[in-house]
Each structure stands twice: as structure tokens, then as C-alpha cells.
Amino acid sequence: MAETTGSDAATGDAAPRLRKPSWKYIGPGIVVAATGVGAGDLVATLIAGSKFGYTLLWAAIIGCLVKISLAEATGRWHLATGRTLFEGWRSLGQWTTWYFAIYVVVWGFVYGATAMSSSALPLVALFPDGPSLKTWAILCGLIGLAFVWFNRYAVFEKVMTVVIGMKFLIVVYVAIRVAPDLGNAFAGLAPVLPDGSLLYTLGLIGGVGGTITMAAYGYWVNSKGWTDISWLRVMRLDNRVAYITTGVFVVAMMIIGAELLHSTNIALTSGDRGLIDLGNVLEDKFGAVTANLFLIGFFATSFGALMGVWHGVSLMFADFVERLRRERDGSAPKAPEAGEVTAGADEMVKEVAAGKREKSVPFRAYLLWLTFPPMGLLFLDQPFGLVVAYGVLGAFFMPFLALTLLWLLNSSRTPKQWRNGILSNVMLAGAGLLFLVLCVQQVRDLPW
């Protein structure tokens, strides 16, 4: 990965002194870890563990390394160029704007309903005599809306730190409780592909923690106040903490799937309801306290993902709208010409760092879009055409992210000393190929 202490091509002066990494700065990575691993990711890992035991543990580890590379590339673009990822996409052509505009509208509409329902499921299980699933789902959406609407990044980060702590402690506790077979677990680090495991393997490598929140990472980096390349080493430590934490979740859930489900041939319901099934299995084996703790962890996972998307994707949407508006009235920062590099953050990045986007009309409009229109889907089966459109757009996002980052970070849009090294290029190219394969498979699996 790119790193240097040489001269600054933009200014001709010595390169800025890179700040020493320190745990006291950690923050955006915690947010992306709390957001990126949702209930669906936990179910996918559980099912892989239940079908193949520990055999695919190596794939989960590789998946975390892939995500570290992707998030590092996103953060490095923001810090090295002083521009947001959306401006980078704009520089690649109008097609990126059209894709993002359609994606963020359709994806947000369907995801809003999915996130609210997923957050409601464990609450219904914890309080069986309480409100219905739809009522809990609406309450979760409204609470997420109010929290993000009235708070700024600093408070948001602190709350997400609590969420990640709950997820981490509870999932690891349950994994220890089921008494993992350490010998088999270490054997699972050897790259082996059992019959019928290829798609599960690709899904583990590419799926867990891989969503639009990876693109939002750069915006959270800026919101933290990191706006220039001096923060590069700090960002890299923050990013590694994020995906090592994610790796612990994945390994813990695979242990639970292998020990609790694979050894007893218990099958889970597909989708988020599979976690309710697991809660029932835990109650039978270890009692109500362990089962209820797991359901609390399930809620923290789902509601953390909801709040993270409500904040991070709204931030991206606000940047998208504001840049288009300023381009129309001629006040947008001038995009770099071929071969030209920039020094320092542009005005719009500084506005993100100052929290101005979180107060903007586009930010709040997208918050409302994520919350209220999707409530209608809670009372209806999702329309066939919408399901297909959501699936296609979602399948294309991760290859879009990996391949556009590969393009941006090897071009003159990025200062020479901060462009990709061999390792970054290998990881991003591999990620792009992996996500293209997964994209084709997801599109083939849609209910056409």
C-alpha cells in the first residue's frame, strides 16, 4: 500500500509529517464495523458453519483482509486528494452519477424496510406479549431517525462504540459458551473447498461487512476531522481495528454454527429469522439467560446497522446533491485536470468535517426517505419489480466500488506518492473479480 516520506508533488515542499497512530484516535473504523455487519451477514456465516463446520474459516479471514484493502483505499482517496469519493466518481464520467442516483433511491427504499424489520425481530422474541413486529419496526425506524436527526458525528460515534461493544462481548461469550473445538478450528485455516462449498466460500470472502457503508467510511473519516494525508497512518490503524473486530464476529459466529448446528444437523430458517431459530436452540441447551443475551446482541447488530446507514448513506447523498447543485451554479470546486494534483482539502470536505452536511436539507430529506416510504413495504409484500431492481443494483455496487477505486488510485487524479502500490492493486483487482463473480451469481438467483 502506498506510503512515503518524500516530496509533495502538489507543493514541491517536504511531504506532510504523518501523525503517529494512536488508539485515542480510533473512531470511524468502529462505526463501519458496527454498521457493516448486519443480521444477514451473521446468518450467512452461521449457515456456512452449520453446513461445513470449521472448513471455511480461512475464507472468513481472507474476506476481512479484502475489506481492509477496500476501506483503506476509500480512506486514502479522501485524505490524499482532499476530495470525497463522489467527486472521484464524477471525474470518471456521467455514468457513475446515473448509477449512484438510481442505486441510492431504490436501495434506500427497500433497505429501510429490511433494516426496520430486522431490528424488530429480536424485540418480538424478547417481548412476546408486547407490540407486533410491524409496530416494533416502525418504532425502530423512528428512533433511528430521531437519533441521527438531532445528533452530530461525535455523539453518533460514541453510541456506535457502545453498540460494537455489546455485539462483540455477547457474540464472543456465546462462542465460548458452546465450547469450540480448537483443533478443528485451527485446521479450518487451511484453504480447503468441500463439495458444494464454492458459493458459500465466495459469499464469506465477499459478503460479510461488504456494503455501501464501505464507501461511507471515507465520509466518516472526514467527519472525524481527518481531512489531509497527515492522518494516513492513523486511518490505517483505525481501519485495521475495524476489520479485525469484524473478523472476530465472523469467527465467533462460525464457531457457533459449527458447534451448535453442524454437529447436531439443525437447520436454520433462511433470512434474519434464522437468528430467532438460533435463540431457541440456545435456550434449549443453555437456558433463557444465554438465549436472551444473544437476542440482545442480535438487536444491537441490526439496530447498529440501521443507525449507521441512516447516518452514513445520508451523508453520501447530501454530498451528491450539494456537488450537483454547486456544479449547476458554477460554485463547485474545480475538478483536477489530467496530471494535476491538489494540495489540502477542498471547501466541501471541510464542510463535512465541520458537520455542516448533517444539518443540510438533502441529509435530512434522505433520512426521511429511508424511514417513512419503506414503512409501506412493512404492510405489503415487496413488489416483484422492486425486488429485482434492488437485487441488481445491490449486486453491482461492490464491483463498482472496487473497480472505480482501482481506477482512481492508479490515475493522475491521485498524487503520485499516494497512488496504489503492488499490494493494493493485487487486493483491489482480486476484490473486483470476486465481486463480479458474486454479482453474476446474485443476479442469476433473482426471481426473474
Side-chain angles (χ1 to χ4, degrees):
M1 296 178 185
E3 184 152 0
T4 185
T5 56
S7 63
D8 187 330
T11 64
D13 299 326
R17 188 178 186 85
L18 300 184
R19 297 170 190 263
K20 184 178 179 180
S22 172
W23 293 98
K24 70 180 181 181
Y25 294 126
I26 298 300
I30 296 298
V31 173
V32 81
T35 304
V37 182
D41 297 313
L42 297 187
V43 172
T45 309
L46 268 176
I47 290 176
S50 68
K51 286 181 174 291
F52 302 105
Y54 292 101
T55 310
L56 299 183
L57 191 59
W58 63 272
I61 304 299
I62 290 178
C64 290
L65 296 177
V66 168
K67 305 309 184 310
I68 286 173
S69 298
L70 275 169
E72 188 275 341
T74 303
R76 177 157 44 92
W77 165 265
H78 278 248
L79 297 179
T81 66
R83 298 174 186 274
T84 64
L85 185 56
F86 178 70
E87 185 171 355
W89 287 337
R90 287 282 286 167
S91 73
L92 300 179
Q94 287 287 343
W95 66 274
T96 59
T97 302
W98 282 107
Y99 171 74
F100 182 76
I102 297 169
Y103 173 83
V104 81
V105 171
V106 176
W107 180 88
F109 182 44
V110 180
Y111 179 83
T114 303
M116 287 186 273
S117 294
S118 180
S119 299
L121 276 170
L123 294 175
V124 172
L126 283 165
F127 306 103
D129 298 324
S132 66
L133 177 69
K134 292 182 179 65
T135 302
W136 277 122
I138 290 170
L139 284 173
C140 288
L142 292 175
I143 292 169
L145 169 69
F147 173 76
V148 174
W149 187 290
F150 291 109
N151 288 292
R152 297 293 170 260
Y153 176 78
V155 176
F156 169 71
E157 182 188 288
K158 287 180 173 63
V159 172
M160 293 297 271
T161 301
V162 174
V163 169
I164 199 80
M166 291 173 61
K167 290 166 61 174
F168 184 92
L169 292 174
I170 290 171
V171 170
V172 170
Y173 163 76
V174 174
I176 293 171
R177 193 84 167 81
V178 301
D181 184 328
L182 296 180
N184 283 334
F186 282 114
L189 297 176
V192 175
L193 275 178
D195 290 342
S197 69
L198 179 60
L199 291 179
Y200 289 98
T201 303
L202 293 177
L204 276 176
I205 295 173
V208 179
T211 68
I212 193 173
T213 54
M214 297 201 69
Y217 178 64
Y219 289 84
W220 285 324
V221 163
N222 290 157
S223 295
K224 183 73 170 175
W226 306 347
T227 58
D228 59 58
I229 200 63
S230 69
W231 292 98
L232 180 66
R233 293 175 63 198
V234 175
M235 180 275 293
R236 284 174 169 165
L237 173 64
D238 177 76
N239 173 46
R240 288 162 188 162
V241 169
Y243 283 97
I244 289 171
T245 304
T246 299
V248 172
F249 293 150
V250 172
V251 169
M253 290 304 287
M254 188 163 281
I255 287 171
I256 294 168
E259 294 294 342
L260 210 57
L261 306 175
H262 179 68
S263 60
T264 53
N265 294 316
I266 297 173
L268 296 182
T269 306
S270 61
D272 296 348
R273 291 185 181 274
L275 296 180
I276 299 296
D277 293 348
L278 180 60
N280 294 332
V281 174
L282 287 169
E283 184 169 4
D284 290 341
K285 287 188 170 291
F286 303 111
V289 172
T290 298
N292 288 338
L293 274 176
F294 177 77
L295 290 172
I296 291 169
F298 176 8
F299 173 73
T301 298
S302 298
F303 193 64
L306 182 152
M307 289 195 299
V309 167
W310 262 231
H311 186 277
V313 184
S314 297
L315 207 55
M316 293 181 69
F317 181 79
D319 181 54
F320 162 72
V321 171
E322 183 62 16
R323 286 188 182 272
L324 292 183
R325 184 189 70 77
R326 294 193 188 188
E327 284 178 14
R328 283 197 300 270
D329 66 22
S331 62
K334 179 179 176 292
E337 302 291 341
E340 178 188 357
V341 294
T342 56
D346 73 12
E347 177 188 351
M348 296 182 69
V349 166
K350 292 175 182 175
E351 290 175 2
V352 173
K356 292 183 179 179
R357 287 292 170 274
E358 295 163 284
K359 302 175 184 176
S360 68
V361 171
F363 181 90
R364 289 178 168 174
Y366 194 73
L367 267 179
L368 295 173
W369 174 253
L370 281 169
T371 306
F372 290 106
M375 288 179 183
L377 294 181
L378 297 173
F379 296 90
L380 301 169
D381 289 332
Q382 293 178 5
F384 175 78
L386 191 61
V387 170
V388 171
Y390 173 76
V392 170
L393 289 166
F396 274 94
F397 184 79
M398 289 305 288
F400 169 79
L401 176 63
L403 296 174
T404 53
L405 283 171
L406 191 64
W407 187 349
L408 289 169
L409 291 167
N410 282 290
S411 74
S412 59
R413 299 169 181 84
T414 304
K416 185 175 181 179
Q417 65 268 45
W418 310 119
R419 292 177 198 165
N420 277 359
I422 294 175
L423 178 59
S424 288
N425 279 327
V426 168
M427 294 299 287
L428 287 179
L433 180 61
L434 166 70
F435 292 128
L436 280 174
V437 172
L438 287 172
C439 172
V440 171
Q441 185 60 38
Q442 284 177 260
V443 171
R444 287 178 58 189
D445 289 344
L446 288 170
W448 296 98

